[in-house]
């Protein structure tokens, strides 16, 4: 055989070898992982941030025996959108004019779906690229459904983290972090940061020196609060007040400083942390934890009672008093504030009605604290302080009975009992004025729906709807005659005998 006849045969053999190698490379996923596929891809899923890939899962949380699928091989699937899948890369289609010997390597199963890899490849070569993608999705959906027990949800590929770009995940994180924000505010109130900034911006080192804090820790607290628009970092390390931060100042209009400090009370927090107990049993977690009710606990802990009475006083002066503004009390000569605390509500009402006299009824340990408040408002000489239990009786003969934030502390039976006591004591044309958070029906956002959870943890009571209050009045032999301020966080209900 001479060289001229040998060369074409050798060339044909080489060409065939090259084509066989090329075909194996095209259909071999390992070759693609090494970069080959990148040159032949015609469409790809959108690029994802690195953190969303399976490899971003912290190694400590991975099961050593659990295989970690390559995000390239499986395609990414957001666990919150089970129907939506990102397609794996599609490749160019090659048509070979001659047949190849059958491949002998074992069938590779598609890592995430259990499909034979060879089946996937064969299907891909039957149709155009866009058709390939549709086929891939529908085949996998069918195979997923076939493998699942009836009614079971589609399983997520193991090790795939939620997509951090998903707004719902961030929204949930923000909700969860609400507990941290509460504590940041408690710290700001306890260290009186807003008061220290009243004169103008201060470097955090100076703030820390004045309030006795660690400068770095305080900086981190203020940085986190500045991100919530409470304080502002005017320049690096220098903080200033904002309108929101102003409300943490003592005596500022609408100050919530006392209420914020009350949120730092460990027993209250512990009761709310144990909410699951209340949900399981329907009883206040506070009683379960401390073996006593909230009012007896406060009577035994005067420093906590002071925190509570200050907090309620702040709300009474602004929010509870505002609920009464729609009500003309000109004809009222004698009012009884039932459970009136330290008298903050009377201190705002009496100056507007010079001929009105009042009786403040509360627990003996509480009424003693009212004198200073009423003195300061210049109305102490028109108020009788009575220490007692409103379940036992209330001062008779008045033409208006105020109950501000009382009924929400008690269950229905207890509410009917105290309302009945008042009905029997009141003058013939008298009215009962109930100031409460009136919860709207349905999904409307309302402060009362969250305050209700405090009631659940601390008391046998709850926040109620207008209809529920009307039912309580009826059960106590009273008529519900009016409701005002339903839209605001606190409203007024009026009942008569
Ligand atoms: C949530 S505070 C409301 C205080 C005030 N009315 C206000 O609007 O801020 C409930 C008040 O009811 C008082 N209280 C609780 N049980 C009582 C009882 N059995 N007899 C009299 N007062 C009681 C508490 O001492 C407390 O001052």
């Amino acid at each position: 055989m001479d060289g001229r006849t040998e060369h074409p045969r050798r060339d044909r053999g080489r060409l065939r070898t090259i084509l066989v190698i090329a075909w194996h490379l095209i259909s071999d996923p390992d070759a693609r992982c090494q970069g080959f596929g990148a040159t032949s891809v015609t469409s790809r899923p959108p690029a994802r941030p690195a953190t969303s890939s399976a490899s971003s899962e912290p190694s400590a949380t991975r099961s050593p025996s659990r295989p970690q699928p390559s995000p390239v091989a499986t395609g990414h699937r957001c666990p919150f959108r089970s129907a939506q899948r990102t397609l794996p890369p599609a490749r160019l289609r090659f048509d070979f004019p001659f047949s190849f010997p059958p491949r002998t390597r074992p069938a590779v199963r598609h890592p995430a779906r259990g499909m034979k890899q060879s089946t996937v490849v064969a299907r891909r070569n039957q149709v155009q690229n866009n058709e390939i993608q549709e086929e891939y999705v529908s085949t996998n959906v069918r195979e997923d459904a076939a493998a699942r027990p009836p009614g079971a949800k589609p399983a997520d590929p193991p090790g795939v983290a939620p997509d951090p770009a998903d707004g719902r995940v961030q929204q949930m994180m923000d909700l969860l972090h609400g507990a941290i924000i509460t504590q940041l505010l408690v710290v700001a109130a306890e260290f009186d940061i807003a008061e220290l900034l009243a004169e103008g911006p201060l470097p955090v080192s100076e703030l820390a020196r004045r309030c006795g804090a660690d400068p770095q820790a305080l900086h981190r607290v203020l940085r986190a609060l500045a991100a919530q628009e409470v304080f502002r970092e005017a320049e690096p390390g220098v903080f200033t007040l904002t309108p929101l931060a102003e409300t943490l100042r003592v005596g500022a209009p609408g100050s919530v400083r006392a209420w914020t400090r009350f949120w730092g009370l460990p027993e209250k927090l512990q009761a709310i942390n144990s909410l699951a107990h209340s949900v399981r049993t329907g009883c206040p977690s506070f009683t379960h934890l401390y073996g006593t009710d909230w009012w007896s606990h406060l009577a035994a802990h005067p420093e906590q009672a002071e925190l509570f009475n200050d907090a309620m006083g702040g709300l009474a002066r602004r929010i509870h008093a505002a609920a009464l503004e729609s009500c003309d009390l000109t004809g009222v000569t004698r009012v009884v504030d039932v459970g009136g605390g330290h008298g903050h509500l009377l201190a705002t009402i009496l100056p507007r009605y010079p001929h009105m006299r009042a009786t403040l009824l509360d627990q003996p340990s509480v009424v003693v604290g009212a004198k200073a408040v009423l003195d300061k408002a210049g109305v102490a000489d028109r108020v009788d302080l009575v220490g007692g239990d409103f379940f036992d009786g209330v001062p008779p003969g008045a033409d208006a009975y105020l109950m501000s934030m009382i009924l929400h502390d008690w269950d229905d039976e207890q509410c009917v009992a105290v309302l009945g006591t008042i009905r029997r004591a009141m003058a013939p044309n008298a009215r009962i004025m109930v100031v409460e958070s009136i919860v709207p029906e349905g999904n409307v956002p309302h402060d009362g729906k969250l305050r209700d959870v405090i009631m659940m943890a601390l008391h046998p009571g709850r926040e109620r709807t207008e209809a529920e209050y009307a039912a309580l009045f009826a059960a106590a032999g009273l008529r519900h005659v009016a409701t005002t301020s339903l839209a605001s966080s606190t409203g007024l209900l009026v009942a008569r005998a």
Side-chain angles (χ1 to χ4, degrees):
M1 209 177 274
D2 66 29
R4 272 178 297 170
T5 54
E6 279 178 8
H7 282 167
R9 205 181 306 143
R10 214 184 302 145
D11 286 348
R12 272 201 305 278
R14 280 189 191 135
L15 177 62
R16 186 182 168 93
T17 306
I18 289 166
L19 287 172
V20 168
I21 291 168
W23 168 239
H24 276 268
L25 281 171
I26 290 164
S27 56
D28 186 342
D30 296 339
R32 184 180 57 193
C33 290
Q34 288 157 15
F36 177 84
T39 58
S40 58
V41 165
T42 55
S43 72
R44 283 187 159 275
R48 294 191 315 278
T51 49
S52 68
S53 74
S55 61
S56 69
E57 184 183 356
S59 57
T61 64
R62 285 186 197 161
S63 157
S65 59
R66 198 174 68 184
Q68 298 299 309
S70 154
V72 175
T74 60
H76 176 69
R77 186 171 153 213
C78 170
F80 294 103
R81 294 191 203 122
S82 55
Q84 178 189 323
R85 290 154 199 247
T86 306
L87 299 176
R91 277 178 262 147
L92 283 174
R93 174 178 160 228
F94 290 88
D95 287 321
F96 293 98
F98 37 76
S99 62
F100 292 101
R103 296 170 63 196
T104 52
R105 69 175 187 173
V108 178
R109 296 219 159 247
H110 189 283
R113 307 284 167 226
M115 289 176 76
K116 277 184 188 167
Q117 188 75 20
S118 56
T119 313
V120 176
V121 171
R123 282 187 190 148
R124 283 179 183 167
N125 283 318
Q126 288 166 8
V127 288
Q128 295 296 321
N129 283 333
N130 56 350
E131 292 168 343
I132 289 171
Q133 296 182 27
E134 286 164 17
E135 173 74 359
Y136 181 86
V137 171
S138 60
T139 303
N140 282 297
V141 169
R142 276 200 305 276
E143 291 199 9
D144 267 2
R148 283 198 308 273
K153 287 185 185 163
D156 295 323
V160 176
D163 185 345
D166 189 313
R168 287 164 296 179
V169 174
Q170 191 53 54
Q171 195 180 345
M172 282 301 290
M173 296 295 277
D174 290 346
L175 289 175
L176 287 164
H177 291 168
I180 301 173
I181 295 171
T182 304
Q183 288 314 306
L184 290 169
L185 292 169
V186 168
V187 165
E190 276 179 8
F191 284 78
D192 269 331
I193 304 297
E195 217 55 54
L196 292 173
L197 291 174
E199 300 298 316
L202 279 178
V204 76
S205 53
E206 179 57 18
L207 271 174
R209 191 188 65 75
R210 292 194 195 179
C211 70
D214 175 83
Q216 274 201 12
L218 184 62
H219 192 177
R220 289 156 70 186
V221 166
L222 296 181
R223 179 180 64 178
L225 283 172
Q228 305 296 326
E229 298 180 14
V230 184
F231 305 113
R232 193 170 69 83
E233 194 162 11
E235 56 185 274
V238 177
F239 285 87
T240 183
L241 281 180
T242 60
L244 262 184
E246 284 276 358
T247 65
L248 292 176
R249 290 192 58 200
V250 187
S255 172
V256 290
R257 180 177 177 275
W259 187 249
T260 308
R261 293 199 64 216
F262 176 51
W263 265 104
L265 204 70
E267 285 86 345
K268 175 184 175 174
L269 289 173
Q270 196 50 44
I272 291 175
N273 282 345
S274 307
L275 195 64
H277 173 85
S278 301
V279 172
R280 250 192 307 276
T281 63
C283 301
S285 52
F286 184 88
T287 312
H288 168 70
L289 288 169
Y290 300 103
T292 184
D293 66 90
W294 174 253
W295 304 116
S296 308
H297 174 83
L298 288 189
H301 297 85
E303 72 296 342
Q304 295 190 21
E306 192 180 325
L307 216 54
F308 171 76
N309 288 319
D310 283 354
M312 289 311 299
L315 298 189
R317 282 185 169 278
R318 216 170 52 84
I319 303 174
H320 309 164
L324 282 171
E325 253 155 36
S326 59
C327 202
D328 183 9
L329 299 176
T330 308
V332 174
T333 56
R334 181 153 203 101
V335 62
V336 177
D337 191 356
V338 180
H342 278 183
H344 288 276
L345 197 51
L346 288 178
T348 61
I349 296 171
L350 289 180
R352 298 196 342 243
Y353 299 99
H355 304 297
M356 192 187 282
R357 285 197 62 83
T359 302
L360 192 160
L361 169 69
D362 207 298
Q363 301 180 92
S365 60
V366 177
V367 282
V368 290
K371 188 164 182 332
V373 174
L374 296 168
D375 268 341
K376 196 171 167 196
V379 295
D381 58 333
R382 290 195 275 145
V383 182
D384 300 322
L385 301 179
V386 176
D389 183 336
F390 50 51
F391 287 106
D392 292 342
V394 297
D399 39 13
Y401 287 79
L402 257 178
M403 300 181 86
S404 170
M405 301 292 142
I406 302 300
L407 294 179
H408 72 173
D409 293 336
W410 305 98
D411 68 26
D412 287 359
E413 202 181 323
Q414 292 163 323
C415 287
V416 172
V418 71
L419 285 169
T421 304
I422 296 173
R423 182 180 55 76
R424 287 187 289 278
M426 63 205 264
N429 289 322
R431 59 188 128 165
I432 299 179
M433 296 183 294
V434 170
V435 177
E436 288 286 358
S437 176
I438 306 170
V439 177
E441 308 272 3
N443 301 316
V444 187
H446 194 271
D447 192 38
K449 292 179 180 178
L450 293 180
R451 277 152 71 169
D452 180 49
V453 177
I454 307 176
M455 299 305 128
M456 197 195 302
L458 299 186
H459 301 294
R462 62 198 164 99
E463 305 295 353
R464 295 176 171 88
T465 64
E466 184 185 24
E468 288 169 335
Y469 278 113
L472 289 182
F473 292 142
L478 294 160
R479 282 179 301 123
H480 171 218
V481 294
T483 303
T484 55
S485 310
L486 201 54
S488 65
S489 73
T490 304
L492 171 70
L493 301 118
V494 181
R496 291 183 185 271

